[in-house]
Amino acid sequence: MNFKGYVAKDLDIFINPDEFAEWHELDGKPTLVVVEENSFDEFSSTMELENIMQGIFRGAITIFVKSSDFNKPDVGDRIRFDDNYYFVVGVSEEAGALKIDLASYES
């Protein structure tokens, strides 16, 4: 097995309902997601902080999902996660997984 094969196998373990992932509704579709709660100080870029500061900060989460299960969003996109709407403040893709940083706020 090559390196990509090992990474894909590890991804199936990481994003697995018997291990770390849970079923959530992501833009209306049931999807296996690993959720990580964030604190305000974990945002890394000035732009992310400025976007959040334009409104009243309410919460932030980071989600991990297989790239094959969800299309990569753009920063600034609005995503419905379960019953709440969030704005994408960061996104990266690596080894078949998307890491999406989400923030909810209102102006």
Side-chain angles (χ1 to χ4, degrees):
M1 183 181 299
N2 64 18
F3 179 72
K4 286 184 180 182
Y6 286 113
V7 170
K9 189 174 181 179
D10 286 345
L11 185 59
D12 287 336
I13 292 169
F14 180 62
I15 302 181
N16 177 322
D18 294 326
E19 297 295 333
F20 303 103
E22 297 175 337
W23 288 101
H24 289 274
E25 192 170 302
L26 190 56
D27 274 348
K29 177 184 169 193
T31 308
L32 279 173
V33 177
V34 175
V35 179
E36 178 182 294
E37 299 291 329
N38 286 332
S39 65
F40 185 75
D41 60 337
E42 290 181 7
F43 289 99
S44 59
S45 82
T46 303
M47 183 178 168
E48 291 169 358
L49 288 173
E50 287 174 1
N51 286 339
I52 290 169
M53 295 307 291
Q54 289 176 2
I56 300 169
F57 180 76
R58 289 183 13 202
I61 59 173
T62 296
I63 61 172
F64 298 87
V65 62
K66 286 184 181 181
S67 301
S68 59
D69 292 343
F70 192 71
N71 291 329
K72 184 177 179 181
D74 293 320
V75 170
D77 285 354
R78 188 173 171 206
I79 290 179
R80 185 165 53 102
F81 182 72
D82 292 331
D83 294 326
N84 299 306
Y85 284 93
Y86 293 87
F87 286 95
V88 176
V89 294
V91 63
S92 60
E93 184 173 8
E94 191 171 328
L98 291 171
K99 175 186 175 190
I100 305 171
D101 298 315
L102 302 171
S104 66
Y105 55 95
E106 26 180 84
S107 54

